[in-house]
């Protein structure tokens, strides 16, 4: 027990310090929690309103417990889903695992400490779902004081069983499929599932908002049956917890706790058998150690131009590093899907909106000016969002010395890095413009002209990005994520780029003729591009002498 | 040929890492660069390769000033840094081909060299895997091969032997000798005095940023008759 506490405290400190690494806290890291809270307020509020509506209908039916059941079920679902990622990360792929394995500790001690730490993480979900719904419940039902005590206990133990279920699944997978013990693979998979989840939520939120109260209530009661049905089997403590909360029965609470205890015992017993066996074999990446086939060998030793090779090296490293793939490249897919998705669900079957879009006179010069401005804005947006060039030097980290001893000029290397960013910007622009063009019925010529504007602004952002990163790279980092996520350069280029994109639309009106706007836009972007390229060339020698 | 003339480097205005260092290395020589931790070896090497800019002094590689004509000078040498963790997510073969492209090595030569050195360092089956999956020594070997593939006329190696298994260390030392016999210049830092004794034509002993001795080991031994190499080294560096 003593070693459990020691381990728990150390692990917790370790994970918390990873979250706010670095001694000097910048304003950004201080403001981030505040931002997050603000960002969640609308969600919390909408949960509250939903619960409020539901309770108005449920209380006369004497079914107010349904809402608590739904809350616990939703909580468990969310905890379970997050745990599928959290457990591998905490139990297998965190940096301290190697150290812990070398210490004279029993598997169940390590697992218990890590389980406790994972619980702390999961309380975010508990609060996010629990607070608004409980607030609505308290306001409408006005329960007795005992309710608060019971609820507190229920909430404290709420993450336990879903976490253990996820933990058992993960351990079994690790035991059965040794290939899964691979950090890279895990990062890819979890990243993409999270992406899909983000897109899914984004698309479904739009449709949920439009459901009316009556159909919501039928859905609630039906959903409650089916959901608690399934989860009643998987998490047998939930029915008892609901009973304890609604009817204030302490015995039911005790039973639900006993069930949780049973799960803990099972988990620890299993982990004593499985955990060491699976944790010892964790790899950074897969390897086959097979001699290359003659054909592959010939293909992989072809000669190409240094510039091209360098650009491809950049792209390869980016695509193969899960963190970079998700942060730098996924936006190419994510942004168009989210934007298109919300337009589709927003417009949906709204006939007025469809006829309004259909009647836009695309060939009108005034409209064309807006299409061009939109193109330029999309170029600015997609290029600054992918963060590729603005982190291109930072991502080198300690490897940056390589750039300095090879016989390739800094400017050429910089350009190769810009090209790698431009390729992704280009894809992003195409993925944005073409679907929008088709849905809105924009004529090809207008689309092409706006594509040119987008490319010109893409070039601008990419060169500005590299200049900023060259002058002020963040080269000292422990984990790849820090090179992109905790890099202020990114914010410094992203915000002005987006501001500029928005400002463009307001300048259209300043021109007496829309054609003048188009011409000026092209000209200014072109001049700025040339200026940025020149500046990059001028800066690079000086900047690299400093690095 | 390497000519280092009156080179100094001070880090962040305080630590004088290299102090007025002068050293000339002729083609065909293998020079062991020896000194205690923090003596200034890596700093000197980084200035030779253009990674650091000297505060004062000039460094010429085959007569080309690394500061004045960096690109031409950088084509003269191959460099192995003391940290082999480079481009970990490239496959071994991709890294070698990348280096061959950067140094513009013709296809037939790059293939011949990859085959030869992969066999020599027992890396043939590892080439298709990512460097991330390599052990420390294997990472060193792939970086070494990245130098060998462009067959430079000057070799600059920072502790190349640390971490290599006896077989690979032997292969590397033999390759060094072979290249020196062909008239190449080999300059490497090391902490292993026996290696320096067996391999080097001359040694340069450095401490606190200054060269304390530059010449053959025989001569050094003659000056300190009857003492072991280890004792001589300790004595020389403690007098600095
Ligand atoms: N980036 C740096 N910033 C400040 N001081 C440094 C830096 N790098 C090295 N130094 C200092 O310069 C001096 C020389 O260091 P250098 O790395 O050249 O030694 P070395 O001979 O290679 O040592 P070792 O045998 O340990 O590799 C040391 O005092 C070191 O502390
Ligand atoms: Mg060193």
């Amino acid at each position: 027990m003593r070693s459990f506490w020691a381990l728990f405290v150390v692990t917790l400190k370790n994970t918390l310090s990873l979250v706010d690494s670095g001694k000097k806290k910048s304003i950004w890291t201080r403001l981030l929690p505040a931002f997050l809270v603000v960002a969640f307020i609308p969600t919390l509020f909408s949960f509250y309103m939903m619960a409020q509506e539901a309770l108005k209908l449920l209380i006369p039916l004497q079914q107010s417990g349904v809402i608590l059941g739904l809350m616990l079920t939703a909580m468990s679902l969310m905890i379970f889903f997050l745990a599928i990622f959290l457990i591998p990360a905490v139990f297998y792929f965190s940096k301290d695992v190697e150290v812990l394995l070398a210490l004279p500790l029993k598997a169940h001690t390590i697992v218990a400490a890590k389980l406790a730490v994972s619980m702390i993480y999961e309380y975010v979900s508990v609060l996010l779902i629990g607070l608004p719904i409980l607030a609505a419940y308290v306001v409408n039902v006005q329960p007795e004081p005992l309710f608060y005590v019971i609820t507190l206990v229920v909430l404290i133990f709420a993450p336990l069983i879903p976490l253990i279920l996820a933990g058992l699944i993960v351990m079994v997978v690790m035991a059965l499929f040794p290939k899964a013990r691979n950090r890279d693979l895990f990062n890819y998979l979890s990243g993409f599932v999270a992406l899909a989840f983000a897109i899914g939520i984004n698309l479904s939120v739009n449709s949920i908002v439009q459901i009316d109260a009556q159909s919501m209530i039928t859905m609630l009661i039906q959903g409650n049956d089916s959901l608690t049905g399934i989860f009643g089997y998987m998490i047998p403590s939930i029915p008892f917890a609901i009973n304890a909360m609604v009817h204030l029965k302490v015995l039911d609470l005790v039973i639900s706790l006993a069930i949780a205890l049973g799960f803990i015992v099972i988990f620890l017993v299993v982990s004593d058998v499985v955990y060491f066996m699976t944790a010892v074999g964790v790899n950074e990446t897969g390897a086959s150690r097979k001699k290359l086939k003659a054909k592959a060998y010939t293909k992989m030793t072809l000669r190409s131009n240094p510039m091209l090779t360098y650009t491809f090296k950049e792209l390869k490293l980016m695509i193969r590093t899960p963190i970079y793939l998700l942060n730098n490249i996924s936006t190419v897919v994510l942004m168009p899907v989210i934007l298109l998705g919300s337009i589709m669900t927003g417009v949906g079957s709204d006939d007025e909106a469809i006829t309004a879009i259909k009647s836009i006179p695309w060939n009108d010069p005034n409209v064309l000016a807006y299409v061009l401005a939109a193109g330029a804005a999309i170029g600015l947006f997609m290029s600054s969002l992918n963060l590729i060039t603005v982190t291109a030097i930072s991502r080198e980290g300690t490897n940056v010395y390589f750039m300095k001893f090879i016989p390739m000029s800094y400017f050429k290397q910089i350009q190769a890095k810009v090209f790698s960013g431009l390729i992704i910007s280009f894809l992003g622009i195409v993925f944005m413009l073409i679907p929008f063009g088709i849905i809105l019925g924009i004529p090809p010529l207008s689309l092409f002209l706006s594509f040119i504007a987008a490319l010109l602004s893409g070039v601008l952002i990419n060169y500005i990005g590299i200049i900023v990163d060259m002058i002020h790279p963040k080269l000292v980092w422990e984990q790849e994520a820090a090179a992109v996520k905790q890099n202020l350069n990114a914010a410094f280029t992203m915000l002005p780029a987006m501001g500029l994109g928005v400002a463009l639309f307001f300048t259209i009106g300043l021109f007496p003729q829309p054609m003048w706007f188009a011409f000026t836009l092209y000209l200014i972007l072109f001049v700025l591009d040339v200026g940025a390229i020149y500046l990059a060339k001028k800066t690079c020698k000086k900047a690299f002498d400093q690095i | 040929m390497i000519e280092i003339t009156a080179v100094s480097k001070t880090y962040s205005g305080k630590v004088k890492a290299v102090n007025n260092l002068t050293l000339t290395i002729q083609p065909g020589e293998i020079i062991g660069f020896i000194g205690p931790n923090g003596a200034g070896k890596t700093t000197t090497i980084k200035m030779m390769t253009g990674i650091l800019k000297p505060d004062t002094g000039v460094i010429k590689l085959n007569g080309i000033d690394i500061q004045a004509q960096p690109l031409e000078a950088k084509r003269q040498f191959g460099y192995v840094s003391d940290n082999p963790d480079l481009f970990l997510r490239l496959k071994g073969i991709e890294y070698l081909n990348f280096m061959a492209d950067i140094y513009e090595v013709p296809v037939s030569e790059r293939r011949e060299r990859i085959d030869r050195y992969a066999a020599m360092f027992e890396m043939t089956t590892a080439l298709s895997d990512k460097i991330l999956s390599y052990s420390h020594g294997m990472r060193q070997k792939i970086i070494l091969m990245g130098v060998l593939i462009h067959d430079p006329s000057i070799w600059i190696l920072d502790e190349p032997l640390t971490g290599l298994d006896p077989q690979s260390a032997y292969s590397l030392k033999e390759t060094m000798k072979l290249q020196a016999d062909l008239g190449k210049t080999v300059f490497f830092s090391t902490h292993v005095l026996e290696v320096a004794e067996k391999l080097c034509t001359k040694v340069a002993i450095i401490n606190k940023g200054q060269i304390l001795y530059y010449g053959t080991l025989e001569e050094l031994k003659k000056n300190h008759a009857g003492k072991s190499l280890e004792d001589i080294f300790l004595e020389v560096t403690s007098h600095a």
Side-chain angles (χ1 to χ4, degrees):
Chain A
M1 205 58 195
R2 237 219 225 122
S3 46
F4 164 76
W5 275 114
L7 206 54
F8 171 66
V9 171
V10 169
T11 322
L12 189 63
K13 270 191 189 154
N14 195 24
T15 36
L16 289 183
S17 72
L18 276 184
V19 175
D20 59 299
S21 59
K23 276 145 213 91
K24 258 194 310 177
K25 276 195 185 170
S26 69
I27 294 188
W28 284 96
T29 45
R30 275 173 205 276
L31 286 182
L32 196 62
F35 271 132
L36 284 179
V37 169
V38 173
F40 273 125
I41 285 179
T43 319
L44 290 175
F45 188 70
S46 65
F47 281 168
Y48 177 83
M49 291 312 286
M50 270 199 272
Q52 176 90 3
E53 291 290 307
L55 277 167
K56 261 190 223 151
L57 295 157
L58 285 169
I59 290 174
L61 301 172
Q62 303 229 310
Q63 287 283 335
S64 55
V66 169
I67 197 80
L68 294 179
L70 199 73
M71 173 187 83
L72 287 180
T73 315
M75 234 179 235
S76 303
L77 253 175
M78 183 152 162
I79 290 166
F80 178 79
F81 180 79
L82 291 177
I84 293 287
F85 306 113
L86 187 67
I87 299 257
V90 172
F91 283 57
Y92 288 95
F93 301 117
S94 85
K95 297 255 172 195
D96 61 351
V97 168
E98 266 180 39
V99 180
L100 292 181
L101 289 179
L103 295 178
L105 292 171
K106 291 243 167 61
H108 66 246
T109 315
I110 301 179
V111 166
K114 289 196 168 280
L115 182 66
V117 170
S118 311
M119 299 252 307
I120 306 242
Y121 277 108
E122 296 284 15
Y123 286 127
V124 176
S125 336
V126 171
L127 291 179
L128 195 64
I129 296 179
L131 275 184
I133 295 181
L134 283 173
Y137 186 84
V138 167
V139 168
N140 288 284
V141 180
Q142 295 174 334
E144 290 171 38
L146 185 58
F147 170 82
Y148 298 96
V149 181
I150 291 177
T151 304
L152 186 66
V153 177
V154 168
L155 288 188
I156 287 176
F157 285 91
L160 197 64
I161 296 180
L163 264 174
I164 288 179
L165 284 175
L168 288 172
I169 292 175
V170 168
M171 279 193 192
V172 169
V173 168
M174 291 284 185
L176 295 182
F177 305 101
K179 282 227 161 86
R181 298 174 215 159
N182 173 328
R183 196 191 310 265
D184 273 0
L185 183 71
F186 164 72
N187 282 337
Y188 277 128
L189 283 183
S190 51
F192 277 106
V193 174
L195 260 186
F197 192 65
I199 294 177
I201 290 215
N202 206 286
L203 296 186
S204 56
V205 160
N206 292 321
S207 46
I208 285 180
V209 178
Q210 291 148 4
I211 297 174
D212 65 283
Q214 193 55 49
S215 54
M216 181 166 79
I217 214 69
T218 18
M219 206 178 72
L220 276 180
I221 294 176
Q222 281 172 354
N224 183 54
D225 279 349
S226 51
L227 277 177
T228 37
I230 298 165
F231 262 76
Y233 290 118
M234 280 176 71
I235 305 183
S237 65
I238 286 188
F240 294 99
I242 297 172
N243 241 359
M245 286 164 81
V246 177
H247 304 295
L248 305 183
K249 284 187 184 157
V250 177
L251 181 64
D252 284 86
L253 181 67
V254 173
I255 294 176
S256 82
L257 292 185
I259 294 173
L261 190 69
F263 269 86
I264 296 181
V265 172
I266 294 174
F267 188 49
L268 293 184
V269 169
V270 171
S271 68
D272 261 337
V273 181
V274 183
Y275 181 66
F276 278 160
M277 183 180 96
T278 47
V280 166
V282 165
N283 297 316
E284 287 282 337
T285 188
S288 68
R289 294 290 184 269
K290 279 205 191 95
K291 190 174 188 299
L292 276 171
K293 298 234 167 60
K295 216 167 146 192
Y297 178 80
T298 314
K299 220 178 115 197
M300 298 187 92
T301 50
L302 290 176
R303 181 171 175 178
S304 73
N305 166 289
M307 197 70 175
L308 215 61
T309 301
Y310 203 105
T311 309
F312 276 112
K313 179 215 78 173
E314 290 293 314
L315 287 171
K316 269 185 207 154
L317 290 180
M318 209 153 46
I319 290 169
R320 288 183 192 167
T321 311
I323 298 286
Y324 299 158
L325 181 72
L326 293 169
N327 280 287
N328 302 46
I329 301 188
S330 65
T331 47
V332 170
V333 183
L334 190 60
M335 275 302 140
V337 170
I338 287 182
L339 278 177
L340 282 174
S342 43
I343 286 189
M344 301 274 260
T345 44
V347 175
S349 49
D350 191 341
D351 292 330
E352 272 177 47
I354 292 176
T355 35
I357 288 174
K358 287 237 168 89
S359 63
I360 295 177
W362 293 109
N363 290 318
D364 180 325
N366 273 306
V367 176
L368 183 60
Y370 279 96
V371 173
L372 281 186
I378 285 176
L380 293 170
F381 182 66
M382 293 306 281
S383 308
S384 60
L385 210 60
N386 70 34
L387 305 182
I388 292 175
T389 41
V390 80
T391 60
I393 315 282
S394 298
R395 275 182 281 120
E396 295 279 351
T398 52
N399 284 349
V400 77
Y401 73 86
F402 180 84
M403 297 185 72
K404 302 184 76 175
F405 79 80
I406 57 169
M408 188 170 178
S409 73
Y410 296 135
F411 185 56
K412 272 195 180 159
Q413 298 190 56
I414 294 296
Q415 274 182 309
K417 283 174 186 287
V418 169
F419 286 155
S420 70
L422 268 178
I423 289 172
I424 304 299
S425 298
F426 176 81
L427 287 179
I429 291 168
V430 169
F431 286 166
M432 273 301 231
L433 282 182
I434 290 189
F436 271 110
I438 291 172
I439 289 174
L440 302 177
I442 304 174
L445 182 65
S446 311
L447 209 56
F448 177 75
L449 291 176
S450 99
F451 175 74
I452 299 288
L455 269 194
L456 285 174
S457 44
V459 170
L460 178 64
I461 290 298
N462 277 290
Y463 271 98
I464 289 181
I466 203 88
I467 293 170
V468 170
D469 201 30
M470 230 174 1
I471 294 173
H472 188 68
K474 180 186 169 76
L475 295 169
V476 184
W477 41 259
E478 291 272 317
Q479 277 157 331
E480 287 143 348
V484 282
K485 284 190 182 160
Q486 297 166 7
N487 195 331
L488 285 181
N489 293 351
F492 279 131
T493 44
M494 208 186 310
L495 293 178
M498 302 206 171
L500 195 64
V502 174
L504 273 179
F505 289 94
F506 295 103
T507 56
I508 296 177
L510 302 178
F511 290 87
Q513 285 282 320
M515 272 306 136
W516 290 14
F517 169 79
F519 182 71
T520 320
L521 180 69
Y522 277 158
L523 187 71
I524 289 183
L525 281 178
F526 184 75
V527 170
L528 287 178
D529 282 352
V530 173
I533 296 172
Y534 178 77
L535 191 63
K537 187 168 179 151
K538 276 278 145 203
T539 331
C540 62
K541 174 152 172 35
K542 240 198 199 137
F544 274 90
D545 278 347
Q546 299 294 318
I547 290 172
Chain B
M1 174 144 131
I2 305 172
E3 297 155 279
I4 305 173
T5 319
V7 163
S8 296
K9 177 78 194 175
T10 307
Y11 282 110
S12 53
K14 288 204 191 92
V15 190
K16 191 130 196 167
V18 172
N19 191 357
N20 197 22
L21 186 141
T22 300
L23 208 58
T24 303
I25 298 152
Q26 298 298 336
E29 286 193 312
I30 304 180
I31 304 297
F33 198 32
I34 310 175
N37 295 132
K41 302 182 294 296
T42 299
T43 307
T44 309
I45 287 177
K46 282 185 176 168
M47 289 189 289
M48 292 163 70
T49 51
I51 295 172
L52 279 180
K53 195 178 169 180
D55 298 337
T56 55
V58 176
I59 297 174
K60 286 185 178 173
L61 301 159
N62 289 341
I64 306 164
D65 185 338
I66 182 92
Q67 290 302 322
Q69 291 170 278
L71 289 187
E72 286 70 24
K74 286 172 185 176
R75 267 189 209 106
Q76 307 302 314
F77 67 85
Y79 165 59
V80 174
S81 97
D82 54 352
N83 173 13
D85 298 339
L86 187 65
F87 302 146
L88 296 182
R89 284 172 207 273
L90 288 186
K91 295 173 182 164
I93 185 81
E94 289 172 340
Y95 174 70
L96 296 181
N97 205 50
F98 171 69
M99 291 300 272
D101 279 342
I102 294 286
Y103 287 89
E104 304 182 10
V105 182
V107 173
S108 59
E109 288 175 30
R110 71 175 73 177
R111 285 186 187 153
E112 184 266 319
R113 287 176 195 153
I114 291 175
D115 289 342
R116 174 148 49 100
Y117 293 117
M120 181 194 257
F121 290 118
E122 298 186 8
M123 291 286 285
T124 312
T125 55
L127 287 184
S128 57
D129 290 322
K130 287 186 198 152
I131 300 177
L132 188 59
S133 73
Y134 291 7
S135 72
H136 185 82
M138 290 164 78
R139 290 179 189 183
Q140 267 179 299
K141 290 195 269 188
I142 201 79
I143 303 280
L144 264 172
M145 289 170 68
V147 167
L148 291 164
I149 202 168
H150 63 91
D151 192 29
S153 69
I154 299 176
W155 290 26
I156 302 174
L157 318 173
D158 200 353
E159 299 192 30
L161 293 160
T162 337
L164 291 189
D165 60 47
Q167 175 61 48
S168 306
Y170 175 80
S171 304
L172 174 59
K173 286 185 273 186
E174 288 304 303
T175 317
M176 283 175 165
K177 279 186 202 160
L178 197 74
Q179 298 292 324
D181 289 342
L182 292 172
K184 309 258 168 80
T185 314
V186 180
F187 183 86
F188 73 104
S189 73
T190 181
H191 290 292
V192 190
L193 299 172
E194 285 71 30
V195 170
E197 188 172 19
K198 288 204 189 101
L199 189 63
C200 299
T201 53
K202 280 185 190 164
V203 295
I205 300 180
I206 180 175
N207 196 16
K208 301 193 179 146
Q210 287 180 308
I211 297 288
L212 305 177
Y213 175 80
Y214 178 48
T216 62
L217 269 177
E218 287 80 57
E219 204 171 322
L220 185 65
K221 278 195 210 154
K222 232 190 288 168
N223 296 347
H224 300 256
K227 290 194 186 131
S228 75
L229 201 56
E230 192 176 8
D231 287 336
I232 299 173
F233 176 75
L234 291 175
E235 197 181 313
V236 170
T237 51
S238 67
H239 281 319

